[in-house]
Amino acid sequence: MLYKEIHIGKFIKERVDEMEISKERVCSFLKKDEEAVEQMYQSSTIDTGLLLRFSKLLEYDFFRIYSSHLILYSPPSAVDKGKNNKSESIPFFRKNIYTQEIKDFIIGKIQSGEMTLSEIIKEYSIPKSTLHRWLQKI
């Protein structure tokens, strides 16, 4: 799976097909007509409320696709590390959570020779010790 280009509608449609859920069930759960649901399948973006409902219906965390994208492709923070950037009104996450898909993606790049360890560290800001731990478990 490539996390750089996300077409969430395709992922949702694939999951609906895998689970063999009828159009009627999807429409009923989302309280939308068939045409609106088909438009969602064609859309590369979707409202977060609808994405949450799809996640519940399809028993799959579609938000994790976006989290994986952020982990792999967002640049390191350029703000002053000495400042307290914690907000009192929104949740603060201390660590990035590396999913198995991300680990497989990174390890695949190393094993195929596409990228070296130092390139991975530089490109994705993954700590050297974390990479070595992943590689030891292969």
Side-chain angles (χ1 to χ4, degrees), residues 15 19 21 25 29 52-62:
R15 183 68 178 171
M19 295 186 71
I21 297 178
R25 172 75 177 117
F29 190 84
L52 180 61
R53 294 197 50 86
F54 269 119
S55 293
K56 290 176 181 179
L57 174 66
L58 302 174
E59 299 171 1
Y60 185 87
D61 184 359
F62 289 102

Side-chain angles (χ1 to χ4, degrees), residues 31-81:
K31 297 178 177 84
K32 301 283 184 187
D33 60 23
E34 282 189 35
E35 184 178 324
V37 172
E38 284 298 324
Q39 286 177 347
M40 289 179 217
Y41 294 156
Q42 302 302 318
S43 179
S44 62
T45 62
I46 191 168
D47 176 74
T48 56
L50 286 170
L51 190 59
L52 180 61
R53 294 197 50 86
F54 269 119
S55 293
K56 290 176 181 179
L57 174 66
L58 302 174
E59 299 171 1
Y60 185 87
D61 184 359
F62 289 102
F63 292 97
R64 192 160 297 217
I65 296 169
Y66 292 102
S67 297
S68 298
H69 173 88
L70 289 173
I71 291 168
L72 291 172
Y73 297 105
S74 66
S77 178
V79 295
D80 184 11
K81 298 280 184 188

Side-chain angles (χ1 to χ4, degrees), residues 9-124:
K10 286 182 183 177
F11 291 126
I12 292 169
K13 177 68 171 143
E14 285 178 28
R15 183 68 178 171
V16 167
D17 293 343
E18 282 175 8
M19 295 186 71
E20 299 177 348
I21 297 178
S22 69
K23 287 182 183 181
E24 293 79 20
R25 172 75 177 117
V26 173
C27 293
S28 171
F29 190 84
L30 298 175
K31 297 178 177 84
K32 301 283 184 187
D33 60 23
E34 282 189 35
E35 184 178 324
V37 172
E38 284 298 324
Q39 286 177 347
M40 289 179 217
Y41 294 156
Q42 302 302 318
S43 179
S44 62
T45 62
I46 191 168
D47 176 74
T48 56
L50 286 170
L51 190 59
L52 180 61
R53 294 197 50 86
F54 269 119
S55 293
K56 290 176 181 179
L57 174 66
L58 302 174
E59 299 171 1
Y60 185 87
D61 184 359
F62 289 102
F63 292 97
R64 192 160 297 217
I65 296 169
Y66 292 102
S67 297
S68 298
H69 173 88
L70 289 173
I71 291 168
L72 291 172
Y73 297 105
S74 66
S77 178
V79 295
D80 184 11
K81 298 280 184 188
K83 289 183 180 177
N84 183 0
N85 294 322
K86 293 182 184 178
S87 170
E88 292 182 19
S89 60
I90 60 172
F92 177 75
F93 302 102
R94 270 187 346 165
K95 291 184 171 183
N96 288 333
I97 299 171
Y98 298 107
T99 63
Q100 190 59 46
E101 291 90 359
I102 290 174
K103 293 176 187 177
D104 294 341
F105 175 80
I106 296 296
I107 290 170
K109 287 198 173 274
I110 294 168
Q111 287 179 332
S112 70
E114 190 177 333
M115 294 180 86
T116 65
L117 286 175
S118 59
E119 289 172 333
I120 295 283
I121 292 166
K122 185 176 181 181
E123 177 78 18
Y124 300 117

